[in-house]
Amino acid sequence: MNSLKLIDLGQRTRELMPGFIVSVVVAAAACFLSEHYGAPVMLFALLLGMGLNFLSADSKCKIGIEFTARTVLRIGIALLGMRITLGQITALGWQPVALVVTLVIVTISVSVVAAKMLGFQRLFGMLTGGATAICGASAALALSAAFPNHPQKEKATLFTVIGVSALSTLAMIVYPMIANWLELSPQAAGIFLGATIHDVAQVVGAGYSMSTETGDTATVVKLMRVAMLLPVIVCAAMITRMQGDDSTGQRPPLLPWFAVGFLLLACINSTGWIPVVVQGGVNELSRWCLIIAISALGMKTQLKELASVGIKPILLMVGESIFLVLLVLMLMRWWF
């Protein structure tokens, strides 16, 4: 039995290594360019990865790239908890919590109405609105699993995942420019980025490309949004039961394990018992995990696939993203 497990592990490792090694090479090249030209390493990793996106279709590299973009990313996010303390979270005050709750409720509600006006089902608006307001592709997949079965559900889910990933990649580049143009403080910039960018990876990339304080704040605010997945999933499950249909297949967890890991490490770090050298090592490991994962995410980006779904869904998701930015800026002006 043990020998069979070792054989399976070895086979799995051989499947993952080509894509993982390519991602590591791209990450190393991004670090080299960043050190020599002074531009953000996350941006270099993303752009270099996008230049090699043909590798994500290669049978030898595809599995490893998928693994790196998902699992290595989540490991990096969880390890970021060693950079955060509960004191930093409480220091943000009640305003970020109120901001996150408000933006999720309002964005999803407006998305449902807009989807209906464009001729789509309300659930499609909840799917795209939830992906925009909460945590991108992860939210789209979680909500899709909780929705009732429908002939168009898989296509809608695929479009939402592709669309929100593409928009999040664009936001990672554009939103820090907006924060600089508005002359936001490092903490305010972190709140803005954490409250508006769709996926966790791009929030981290955008935040730490500006400053460490901005990255820390953006990560905390983003994970507050991730926590909102729980009540939204409950609402989606209630809709499913009201319509008399049950979703099939294994549902994703209500809260991703990387968010739980982040919180646990933040609690441990808050005790003050962790030596500085250990904190530094974990933070450096986290940094490399994120750079490698963002390289893989760049290789997975297929913007041309958006052209095949028509203009209305694209307009809906772009409109949701613009609305979210305007809503967050308005709430920040009132509460901060």
Side-chain angles (χ1 to χ4, degrees), residues 3-77:
S3 62
L4 290 176
K5 289 182 178 179
L6 289 174
I7 292 173
D8 291 339
L9 179 61
Q11 182 177 356
R12 178 64 174 169
T13 302
R14 285 192 296 271
E15 291 176 346
L16 296 178
M17 286 308 292
F20 177 74
I21 290 173
V22 168
S23 301
V24 171
V25 171
V26 173
C31 290
F32 175 83
L33 292 173
S34 176
E35 291 174 0
H36 283 75
Y37 295 101
V41 64
M42 300 290 187
L43 181 58
F44 272 127
L46 181 66
L47 295 177
L48 289 174
M50 291 176 68
L52 297 172
N53 67 346
F54 62 90
L55 291 174
S56 63
D58 184 271
S59 58
K60 292 182 179 179
C61 296
K62 182 176 180 180
I63 298 176
I65 291 172
E66 293 281 349
F67 169 82
T68 305
R70 178 174 295 273
T71 304
V72 175
L73 165 67
R74 282 152 176 74
I75 293 172
I77 296 294

Side-chain angles (χ1 to χ4, degrees), residues 132 167 175 312-324:
T132 301
L167 289 171
Y175 288 8
K312 283 188 177 180
I314 296 174
L315 290 176
L316 176 62
M317 295 200 69
V318 171
E320 289 167 349
S321 299
I322 295 173
F323 174 81
L324 180 61

Side-chain angles (χ1 to χ4, degrees), residues 57-124:
D58 184 271
S59 58
K60 292 182 179 179
C61 296
K62 182 176 180 180
I63 298 176
I65 291 172
E66 293 281 349
F67 169 82
T68 305
R70 178 174 295 273
T71 304
V72 175
L73 165 67
R74 282 152 176 74
I75 293 172
I77 296 294
L79 293 177
L80 277 176
M82 191 58 70
R83 186 187 291 272
I84 306 294
T85 66
L86 296 181
Q88 290 173 305
I89 298 175
T90 56
L92 291 176
W94 62 269
Q95 294 97 331
V97 178
L99 174 73
V100 167
V101 173
T102 302
L103 72 86
V104 169
I105 294 174
V106 174
T107 301
I108 293 178
S109 300
V110 171
S111 298
V112 170
V113 174
K116 190 66 177 176
M117 292 175 62
L118 290 172
F120 302 116
Q121 287 194 344
R122 290 187 178 91
L123 289 182
F124 181 64

Side-chain angles (χ1 to χ4, degrees), residues 28 39 92 137 164 180 197 201 253 274 296 310:
L92 291 176
V164 79
N180 286 326
I197 298 178
I274 307 299

